[in-house]
Amino acid sequence: MADPRRELERIRDGGGPGADQARIALSTEAPPDRLRAAILALASARGAESSTCPSDAARAVAEDWRPLLPQARELARELARTGRVRLTQRGRLLDPDGEWRGPIRIQWRGKDS
C-alpha cells in the first residue's frame, strides 16, 4: 500500500492539482482542516477516474490515524454535500445524507479545490 503522506508530499512538490490543499494537509493546522485538505488533495490529484478512501487522509496526517477515521468519513460527507467529491461503495453512488456503513471511496468531481 502506498504511503499517503509521501503521496501528499509529491502532490505538494509537483505544484499540480491539489498542491495547495496538500500544503495545508502537511501543515500544523488543526486536524479537521488537515483532514479536509488531505481528502481534497488526494482526490483531486488522483482525478475523477480514480478514488481515495477516508483512511488515506487520516494516515496522511497522523501516525495514530484510526481515531481520526470517523472524522474523516464525516468530512467526506460534508464535501460530498457541497459537490466537491462523490462517495461510492462497491461502485454505487452514495447519498451523503443517507445511512451507510462499511468502506467507502471518495472520487473527485472536478471542481476547484
Side-chain angles (χ1 to χ4, degrees):
M1 183 179 307
D3 178 352
R5 183 167 185 83
R6 284 208 169 120
E7 185 176 354
L8 282 180
E9 290 168 352
R10 283 191 302 274
I11 294 166
R12 176 198 62 200
D13 296 344
D20 291 338
Q21 293 297 328
R23 275 189 273 290
I24 294 168
L26 294 166
S27 74
T28 59
E29 297 289 328
D33 295 334
R34 293 179 65 208
L35 278 172
R36 181 181 295 107
I39 290 168
L40 291 171
L42 293 167
S44 66
R46 292 180 185 185
E49 299 303 315
S50 190
S51 64
T52 187
C53 66
S55 66
D56 288 339
R59 287 186 299 123
V61 302
E63 280 192 42
D64 187 17
W65 60 270
R66 289 185 192 279
L68 295 177
L69 192 51
Q71 186 175 29
R73 288 171 62 92
E74 186 55 38
L75 288 167
R77 276 186 193 267
E78 290 175 17
L79 290 167
R81 286 183 191 116
T82 67
R84 296 177 88 180
V85 300
R86 77 180 90 213
L87 305 178
T88 63
Q89 188 173 56
R90 293 185 210 113
R92 293 187 322 262
L93 188 62
L94 294 175
D95 177 354
D97 294 315
E99 293 291 324
W100 37 265
R101 297 182 340 172
I104 64 166
R105 301 297 296 176
I106 305 165
Q107 287 184 306
W108 184 243
R109 294 275 317 255
K111 298 190 179 202
D112 291 338
S113 60

